[in-house]
Amino acid sequence: MDEERALYIVRAGEAGAIERVLRDYSDKHRATFKFESTDEDKRKKLCEGIFKVLVKDIPTTCQVSCLEVLRILSRDKKVLVPVTTKENMQILLRLAKLNESDDSLEKVSEFPVIVESLKCLCNIVFNSQMAQQLSLELNLAAKLCNLLRKCKDRKFINDIKCFDLRLLFLLSLLHTDIRSQLRYELQGLPLLTQILESAFSIKWTDEYESAIDHNGPPLSPQETDCAIEALKALFNVTVDSWKVHKESDSHQFRVMAAVLRHCLLIVGPTEDKTEELHSNAVNLLSNVPVSCLDVLICPLTHEETAQEATTLDELPSDKTAEKETVLKNNTMVYSGMNMEAIHVLLNFMEKRIDKGSSYREGLTPVLSLLTECSRAHRNIRKFLKDQVLPPLRDVTNRPEVGSTVRNKLVRLMTHVDLGVKQIAAEFLFVLCKEREELLKPMGLKPDGTITPLEEALNQYSVIEETSSDTD
């Protein structure tokens, strides 16, 4: 009955009545994702009627009501078959200000129309193969990048950026050819990196170093959502970037890695949002060529050096052990380098282990990242070894018993998932400098595979203090 009444009013053509009936329909079906098959034909006709209304000169509020209902109806794949045409797609592109003739975004009153049009396009592109093909024909990726350039430095239109980025992510996910176009023709890597810089309000102190305000406010929900969508789009753009051939590519990846370091050191509005933000940052860092990950660590600033010296001066001269603890744990410093980002990654890894589920999707990316960082960058490996494998002084417990990171990683080495087991073993293998004599206490072989658990338990009684001195 709802569709029948709405269709009757829409066909009648009076803007005020159309707005009212569609607003009522939208309020009633806002949370509807499954539709009755008996009303399918009516929903198709309602979609067609809405597109006919959208080409008319109607008030902005009426446009928004039309688009809200269209967004709800576009959740049904069957309804989209007759209405997904080039003409209708072009109507939505025009309303979303994606036509290249639209030079600026000045009318604030139009922003709700732009956002709702982008939401409709997201649903339609995701649910319709025909829309996906038309997106290629209409060069939608280029139009989306053009819209991003218009609003990349304007924070008050975060919703537009967010859904523009989401649509860009969907396109690059569904069409692998678009990834290459985004990367090279449309300069997607620097563009999306600049979107992240804007979302994080980054202020550069050096070429690859940003100012971090640990006492600053968390990101707003809108900034966080925008950043997450940009991270997901960047992942698709860089998914095949294993090697860097040109110096310009290396510079771009280093800038992006520096932005991701900043991302790891800030928080979102909630703990869950922070984890989602950091999870996407980890996934993207896995696409960065390992030679460019050196920017995850940086020399101490003058302020950090002064603060560290003050803290150490407060300790008596004979308290050498306490001074080492201050250096390693309080300031996250190793060999004069700031290791905060690496420490965040280590904590992130431990939280994923503690979850106890979805290890392959949730844990292996960060474990692989830490493994590659350790293999390529000596200071990172030495810092992680100090954190994960400190000298073992109590040998009375079995290696998998306990709550330390070491204990948790040893337990992973007996996990039923071979991929999880191997990446945990490889991480410990790399931390031990890939040397057999340092692997035995952990129950590892030189190739990174695992020795039988009983043998590992017997070998674990070896104290690693000597190896830490030579490392």
Side-chain angles (χ1 to χ4, degrees), residues 141-154:
K143 297 178 187 295
L144 289 168
C145 287
N146 188 43
L147 180 60
L148 278 178
R149 290 187 176 92
K150 295 175 188 177
C151 61
K152 66 182 179 183
D153 296 321
R154 300 171 64 178

Side-chain angles (χ1 to χ4, degrees), residues 120-292:
C120 287
L121 284 167
C122 286
N123 279 2
I124 292 171
V125 168
F126 181 72
N127 286 320
S128 168
Q129 290 186 344
M130 176 60 72
Q132 293 164 22
Q133 284 301 122
L134 287 170
S135 298
L136 294 176
E137 185 179 335
L138 295 168
N139 201 13
L140 181 54
K143 297 178 187 295
L144 289 168
C145 287
N146 188 43
L147 180 60
L148 278 178
R149 290 187 176 92
K150 295 175 188 177
C151 61
K152 66 182 179 183
D153 296 321
R154 300 171 64 178
K155 290 193 171 184
F156 56 88
I157 49 178
N158 269 329
D159 282 345
I160 295 177
K161 286 194 286 188
C162 184
F163 288 102
D164 184 306
L165 290 164
R166 182 171 298 178
L167 186 50
L168 204 57
F169 163 71
L170 286 173
L171 286 175
S172 56
L173 176 68
L174 297 167
H175 284 288
T176 55
D177 292 345
I178 287 180
R179 297 174 189 173
S180 178
Q181 181 192 14
L182 277 171
R183 173 77 188 278
Y184 299 106
E185 179 186 335
L186 301 175
Q187 293 296 298
L189 183 55
L191 173 62
L192 293 171
T193 302
Q194 288 167 10
I195 294 292
L196 283 177
E197 287 183 48
S198 175
F200 299 147
S201 301
I202 289 181
K203 296 179 181 178
W204 296 104
T205 58
D206 205 342
E207 187 175 21
Y208 303 122
E209 294 178 32
S210 62
I212 304 292
D213 183 5
H214 293 290
N215 298 318
L219 290 177
S220 70
Q222 294 82 5
E223 290 167 339
T224 306
D225 289 340
C226 187
I228 289 171
E229 295 300 334
L231 289 168
K232 288 158 60 178
L234 265 171
F235 179 86
N236 287 345
V237 171
T238 60
V239 71
D240 298 319
S241 305
W242 293 105
K243 296 180 181 180
V244 176
H245 299 287
K246 298 185 296 185
E247 187 175 343
S248 60
D249 288 340
S250 179
H251 170 70
Q252 287 180 0
F253 277 110
R254 276 194 161 83
V255 171
M256 187 175 75
V259 171
L260 294 176
R261 177 183 183 274
H262 188 101
C263 176
L264 292 172
L265 299 181
I266 57 178
V267 295
T270 65
E271 187 175 342
D272 287 345
K273 276 296 180 183
T274 299
E275 182 172 355
E276 185 181 359
L277 182 70
H278 289 177
S279 177
N280 281 283
V282 167
N283 291 340
L284 182 52
L285 279 168
S286 301
N287 288 350
V288 176
V290 70
S291 60
C292 300

Side-chain angles (χ1 to χ4, degrees), residues 2 296 372:
D2 292 333
L296 290 178
E372 293 307 314

Side-chain angles (χ1 to χ4, degrees), residues 1-196:
M1 286 296 294
D2 292 333
E3 287 84 0
E4 190 172 341
R5 176 170 173 265
L7 181 59
Y8 176 79
I9 300 295
V10 166
R11 283 175 171 173
E14 200 278 309
I18 291 173
E19 181 180 343
R20 286 191 296 272
V21 74
L22 292 183
R23 190 188 304 126
D24 291 342
Y25 185 94
S26 177
D27 291 340
K28 186 173 181 179
H29 295 279
R30 197 174 301 278
T32 301
F33 289 89
K34 291 185 178 180
F35 300 88
E36 295 292 335
S37 58
T38 53
D39 295 326
E40 183 180 310
D41 189 56
K42 294 175 184 176
R43 290 195 300 276
K44 290 177 182 177
K45 291 178 180 178
L46 182 56
C47 281
E48 292 170 347
I50 288 174
F51 273 112
K52 290 177 180 177
V53 172
L54 287 172
V55 297
K56 298 178 181 178
D57 184 16
I58 57 175
T60 300
T61 52
C62 187
Q63 288 179 323
V64 172
S65 295
C66 287
L67 290 166
E68 285 177 347
V69 173
L70 187 61
R71 171 171 53 84
I72 292 169
L73 295 175
S74 65
R75 296 167 182 166
D76 184 358
K77 294 182 180 181
K78 295 179 181 178
V79 165
L80 292 175
V81 174
V83 299
T84 305
T85 65
K86 186 174 182 179
E87 180 183 1
N88 288 341
M89 287 285 285
Q90 287 175 325
I91 291 171
L92 291 175
L93 295 186
R94 176 179 57 81
L95 292 171
K97 297 296 180 184
L98 289 170
N99 289 334
E100 292 163 9
S101 58
D102 296 322
D103 296 328
S104 61
L105 299 172
E106 299 297 337
K107 294 182 181 179
V108 178
S109 61
E110 293 180 342
F111 290 176
V113 175
I114 299 173
V115 171
E116 283 301 324
S117 300
L118 289 169
K119 289 179 181 179
C120 287
L121 284 167
C122 286
N123 279 2
I124 292 171
V125 168
F126 181 72
N127 286 320
S128 168
Q129 290 186 344
M130 176 60 72
Q132 293 164 22
Q133 284 301 122
L134 287 170
S135 298
L136 294 176
E137 185 179 335
L138 295 168
N139 201 13
L140 181 54
K143 297 178 187 295
L144 289 168
C145 287
N146 188 43
L147 180 60
L148 278 178
R149 290 187 176 92
K150 295 175 188 177
C151 61
K152 66 182 179 183
D153 296 321
R154 300 171 64 178
K155 290 193 171 184
F156 56 88
I157 49 178
N158 269 329
D159 282 345
I160 295 177
K161 286 194 286 188
C162 184
F163 288 102
D164 184 306
L165 290 164
R166 182 171 298 178
L167 186 50
L168 204 57
F169 163 71
L170 286 173
L171 286 175
S172 56
L173 176 68
L174 297 167
H175 284 288
T176 55
D177 292 345
I178 287 180
R179 297 174 189 173
S180 178
Q181 181 192 14
L182 277 171
R183 173 77 188 278
Y184 299 106
E185 179 186 335
L186 301 175
Q187 293 296 298
L189 183 55
L191 173 62
L192 293 171
T193 302
Q194 288 167 10
I195 294 292
L196 283 177

Side-chain angles (χ1 to χ4, degrees), residues 312-357:
L312 294 177
D313 288 343
E314 292 173 354
L315 293 171
S317 58
D318 59 336
K319 299 290 184 179
T320 305
E322 286 81 351
K323 289 187 176 184
E324 289 179 357
T325 301
V326 169
L327 249 71
K328 292 180 181 178
N329 297 330
N330 292 350
T331 58
M332 298 306 150
V333 174
Y334 197 97
S335 297
M337 303 295 286
N338 186 318
M339 295 284 179
E340 282 182 295
I342 304 302
H343 193 261
V344 170
L345 290 172
L346 186 62
N347 286 341
F348 181 85
M349 178 198 74
E350 189 172 6
K351 286 180 182 178
R352 286 297 170 95
I353 295 176
D354 292 342
K355 279 191 173 181
S357 61

